[in-house]
Amino acid sequence: MFEIVDIDALGRIGKLFVNNKQMITPNLFPVIHPFKNVVPASDLKEIGAQCLFTNAYIMYQNELKREKIIKSGIHNHLQFDGLIATDSGAFQKYMYTNNQIEINAEIIEKFQEDIGSDFPVILDIPVQLDDTHEQAKEKVNTTLSRAKDNVRRRSNKSCHWVGPIQGGKFLDLLNKSVNEMNSLDFEIYAIGGIVKAFLEYRFDLTTDILLNVKKSIVPNKPIHMFGLGLPQYFSLAVACGCDLMDSAAYILFAKEGRYFTLSTGTEKLDELEEFPCHCPICCQYTPKEMKALGEDMRIELLAKHNLYLSFSELRTIRQAIREGNLWELIEQRVRSHPSLVKALHVVNNNKTFIEASEKAYKKSGRLYISSESISRPLIKRYDEKITSNYRIPKEAKFLILLPELDTRGANSPSILSWISQINNTQLIPRELLHVVFISDFYGVIPLELLDTFPLSQFESITAIDNNDDLHQNSVRKALKFLNVNIQHYEKCGVLIPEMFLNQFNEIKKFSSKNPIHKIFSLLQAKYASKISNFTNILYLLQYFRTDGMQ
Ligand code: GUN
Ligand code: ZN
């Protein structure tokens, strides 16, 4: 049973209950060899593994040990009392395509039932990245018919089957795969045929595939990504709906002397003077000491560090989901590699889909920390609401445009003073005045909405150049709003101060790069007769008064 307890974006925290055991999601199944464990299973548990992934095909092939494992069961064999998933040999066929491996689906699936796997995987046929559509179609069809055979044949009720979704970059095949798998009962749906894309850092492709699967897969089952093991990508994958992953990357990288970090990706042990991490391994050894060890020991320690880091990242991600800060985390993580930034941009093409599951309210304030923040679902939601769901106050005749300063609303002494002058003016009845802020991220923020979520609490970077993304974002959104709404006002006064007081009460020069300059000049070119700019509020209010107000 899968119970979802919290969400952020398409990311979710869930509890998976199986065979009287429980695991939390998002989570990673470390992949281990069934006979040659570099890191013993008991150590894996200590490092944080609630579940393991191993290979049924390798066990089955070993005729000497096969019967013994059937007798003892997989948990005894591996000496691990958590949840165990087993792969069917499809992976071997996928990775070593020229190797003529003969596997029979019925036999390998029955074997997984016999050894008591918690999560066996059917014998699917992974689509290769360079398959033609025709080849991919055949693999998808065979996988689907094997999935149906599997459902019919099942005999061990303790086995909770994993159903692979194939199709890869061919979205029509991927969708066919999802639609048919939806009607077959699997405990976990797993996206296959993407390991080689991970190896080539094609995170844009894997993100696109994941989002396409999420659009039509049943919502009440966990989604697994086969072979996802690079922790820098975990947060983005989780935000796009990935609940589970399995990987041997921690050990494969360790064998190449590679050390996981989240800031710069993987580092070569040879090039490290100090360890940046403080897991038990990195606290106990210096890189120099680790290099001096024998190969087996060195690989084991590096693998352990790599896993500590992976589980630490999963805890960070789950906590970010609880706090509603997953996008903030992702924007930090993608900075470690351009391919990750590219993958984040794929999300932009799917904003409508992701926005639909964004929470209506979050407890904490938002931080807009990079130009990618413009694409956050919450901002898209605001754009839509201000366009289609907002009416300016009925009595408003005069529009006052104010710039955003270093900080918002009541935290800004200058803004407080402007608002106070506007609210207390004797020159014009207050209800005739409508105040709207020009905002880098939101375009416009009407004053009466300033204390509502998500406008009330956010801190953001600001435009620093007339052509940067933020500047363009602000100008485009503000003009969209103003071109539609300006007809409601008799006049519009734009405040462009020379100086202002920042949040520390220091006098600062108002930036010549603030988008309000550009917005004013574009509006003036179009609506010269009813728009003017001022350096202080008093002059601005007088401008409204000189016309028809006496
Ligand atoms: N391991 C990595 N990719 C795959 C896949 O597509 N199918 C299976 N069964 N295992 C995998
Ligand atoms: Zn470490």
Side-chain angles (χ1 to χ4, degrees):
M1 194 186 71
F2 184 50
E3 181 185 319
I4 294 162
V5 292
D6 209 342
I7 61 155
D8 191 19
L10 303 182
R12 35 195 201 177
I13 295 181
K15 284 181 189 159
L16 194 52
F17 301 93
V18 162
N19 298 337
N20 297 317
K21 295 170 195 172
Q22 198 193 111
M23 65 185 276
I24 191 166
T25 69
N27 215 332
L28 165 73
F29 293 79
V31 173
I32 65 168
H33 192 282
F35 303 123
K36 300 180 281 198
N37 279 342
V38 176
V39 183
S42 57
D43 288 7
L44 289 173
K45 194 168 174 185
E46 201 170 293
I47 293 171
Q50 293 185 310
C51 47
L52 297 180
F53 215 99
T54 192
N55 194 297
Y57 169 71
I58 296 174
M59 287 185 275
Y60 181 79
Q61 261 199 324
N62 190 320
E63 288 177 23
L64 284 177
K65 299 188 179 158
R66 186 199 295 170
E67 293 305 319
K68 229 178 112 200
I69 301 172
I70 292 176
K71 266 209 195 89
S72 68
I74 182 72
H75 296 82
N76 273 328
H77 170 69
L78 293 177
Q79 290 288 296
F80 184 74
D81 61 6
L83 290 161
I84 298 176
T86 49
D87 205 352
S88 50
F91 178 68
Q92 269 70 13
K93 279 193 107 120
Y94 166 68
M95 290 306 278
Y96 317 110
T97 36
N98 47 6
N99 187 346
Q100 287 305 313
I101 302 173
E102 276 311 318
I103 314 176
N104 174 293
E106 185 167 0
I107 292 174
I108 198 68
E109 290 171 16
K110 176 76 170 60
F111 176 67
Q112 295 181 81
E113 291 193 317
D114 291 345
I115 61 176
S117 170
D118 296 300
F119 300 118
V121 183
I122 69 161
L123 187 70
D124 54 325
I125 306 192
V127 170
Q128 300 285 350
L129 286 176
D130 55 2
D131 276 345
T132 62
H133 189 273
E134 205 50 39
Q135 289 168 318
K137 189 172 166 187
E138 193 164 330
K139 292 177 180 179
V140 165
N141 285 338
T142 309
T143 298
L144 287 170
S145 81
R146 288 197 185 158
K148 288 170 200 159
D149 292 345
N150 169 270
V151 172
R152 247 182 281 119
R153 278 197 300 254
R154 290 175 193 173
S155 61
N156 183 345
K157 292 257 180 313
S158 303
C159 289
H160 300 266
W161 286 89
V162 178
I165 306 284
Q166 296 294 347
K169 63 184 178 190
F170 299 108
L171 297 184
D172 59 326
L173 299 178
L174 194 69
N175 286 339
K176 174 183 160 79
S177 195
V178 173
N179 290 335
E180 295 206 20
M181 290 299 275
N182 271 342
S183 62
L184 300 172
D185 185 32
F186 284 91
E187 185 71 23
I188 295 172
Y189 293 96
I191 302 174
I194 50 177
V195 176
K196 291 176 186 173
F198 288 135
L199 292 176
E200 292 170 352
Y201 273 49
R202 295 179 65 183
F203 300 115
D204 52 345
L205 176 62
T206 57
T207 304
D208 199 34
I209 292 173
L210 172 60
L211 285 168
N212 273 291
V213 168
K214 282 296 287 184
K215 279 178 194 163
S216 40
I217 195 100
V218 288
N220 60 339
K221 297 288 173 70
I223 304 306
H224 181 100
M225 284 180 113
F226 278 123
L228 166 52
L230 276 189
Q232 306 95 293
Y233 181 56
F234 286 177
S235 53
L236 183 55
V238 167
C240 294
C242 173
D243 303 295
L244 295 168
M245 42 224 146
D246 71 282
S247 174
Y250 70 102
I251 192 109
L252 299 175
F253 278 80
K255 284 182 178 165
E256 289 175 12
R258 288 192 165 272
Y259 174 97
F260 283 181
T261 78
L262 289 167
S263 47
T264 54
T266 60
E267 295 273 3
K268 281 216 156 91
L269 177 61
D270 286 344
E271 287 161 12
L272 283 173
E273 189 78 27
E274 298 178 77
F275 284 137
C277 165
H278 31 256
C279 78
I281 306 299
C282 299
C283 290
Q284 198 178 338
Y285 297 88
T286 64
K288 196 171 163 196
E289 286 163 353
M290 201 183 277
K291 277 179 257 180
L293 298 169
E295 190 182 14
D296 288 353
M297 185 69 176
R298 193 175 66 235
I299 291 172
E300 178 178 339
L301 293 175
L302 268 179
K304 282 183 171 172
H305 155 79
N306 288 346
L307 267 186
Y308 270 115
L309 188 94
S310 304
F311 286 118
S312 158
E313 178 64 355
L314 285 163
R315 289 193 295 273
T316 305
I317 289 167
R318 294 193 296 259
Q319 191 55 28
I321 293 176
R322 294 182 190 106
E323 291 174 11
N325 289 334
L326 196 50
W327 290 116
E328 276 86 347
L329 179 66
I330 291 164
E331 286 171 33
Q332 292 177 30
R333 293 301 188 244
V334 299
R335 297 268 96 79
S336 68
H337 202 280
S339 303
L340 290 168
V341 177
K342 205 166 151 194
L344 178 52
H345 293 165
V346 170
V347 171
N348 293 349
N349 304 331
N350 294 275
K351 272 194 281 191
T352 309
F353 172 54
I354 294 175
E355 184 269 325
S357 49
E358 188 78 18
K359 277 186 188 164
Y361 296 100
K362 290 180 173 182
K363 282 179 294 204
S364 51
R366 306 292 89 211
L367 296 178
Y368 299 133
I369 54 178
S370 71
S371 59
E372 279 92 20
S373 309
I374 296 170
S375 306
R376 296 247 190 109
L378 270 181
I379 294 185
K380 176 183 167 53
R381 178 176 293 167
Y382 177 79
D383 293 347
E384 282 168 7
K385 287 202 170 161
I386 201 78
T387 306
S388 60
N389 218 3
Y390 174 77
R391 212 168 35 213
I392 58 172
K394 235 182 12 228
E395 279 149 11
K397 274 188 169 175
F398 303 115
L399 173 65
I400 301 175
L401 291 182
L402 299 178
E404 241 172 13
L405 296 179
D406 60 317
T407 182
R408 243 149 294 286
N411 296 325
S412 163
S414 285
I415 291 178
L416 265 187
S417 138
W418 298 339
I419 302 296
S420 158
Q421 287 178 69
I422 293 167
N423 287 345
N424 297 309
T425 182
Q426 303 296 316
L427 293 169
I428 302 166
R430 176 63 182 87
E431 64 272 19
L432 301 188
L433 301 172
H434 189 215
V435 179
V436 170
F437 290 93
I438 297 296
S439 158
D440 284 358
F441 276 88
Y442 290 104
V444 292
I445 303 178
L447 175 63
E448 72 274 19
L449 297 182
L450 193 62
D451 289 328
T452 63
F453 180 85
L455 308 167
S456 54
Q457 290 180 328
F458 70 95
E459 291 190 42
S460 63
I461 55 168
T462 53
I464 49 171
D465 202 306
N466 284 344
N467 275 319
D468 69 17
D469 292 347
L470 267 184
H471 195 277
Q472 290 180 15
N473 176 67
S474 179
V475 171
R476 184 173 48 77
K477 289 180 181 170
L479 286 178
K480 184 173 167 206
F481 176 87
L482 293 164
N483 279 325
V484 170
N485 289 298
I486 205 156
Q487 77 227 21
H488 296 293
Y489 307 100
E490 285 180 9
K491 281 182 167 187
C492 170
V494 183
L495 183 75
I496 304 185
E498 284 163 355
M499 300 289 180
F500 70 99
L501 281 176
N502 72 7
Q503 58 185 311
F504 309 108
N505 264 311
E506 298 159 342
I507 298 177
K508 293 281 166 188
K509 196 169 170 324
F510 182 70
S511 169
S512 63
K513 315 282 188 196
N514 189 297
I516 203 164
H517 296 285
K518 178 83 169 279
I519 290 163
F520 170 68
S521 70
L522 291 170
L523 287 175
Q524 201 194 26
K526 244 172 135 173
Y527 310 102
S529 64
K530 63 180 199 179
I531 183 161
S532 195
N533 66 326
F534 302 89
T535 55
N536 76 47
I537 292 285
L538 192 62
Y539 297 157
L540 188 152
L541 292 169
Q542 281 165 351
Y543 164 64
F544 295 148
R545 185 178 163 91
T546 51
D547 199 64
M549 283 301 303
Q550 286 83 353

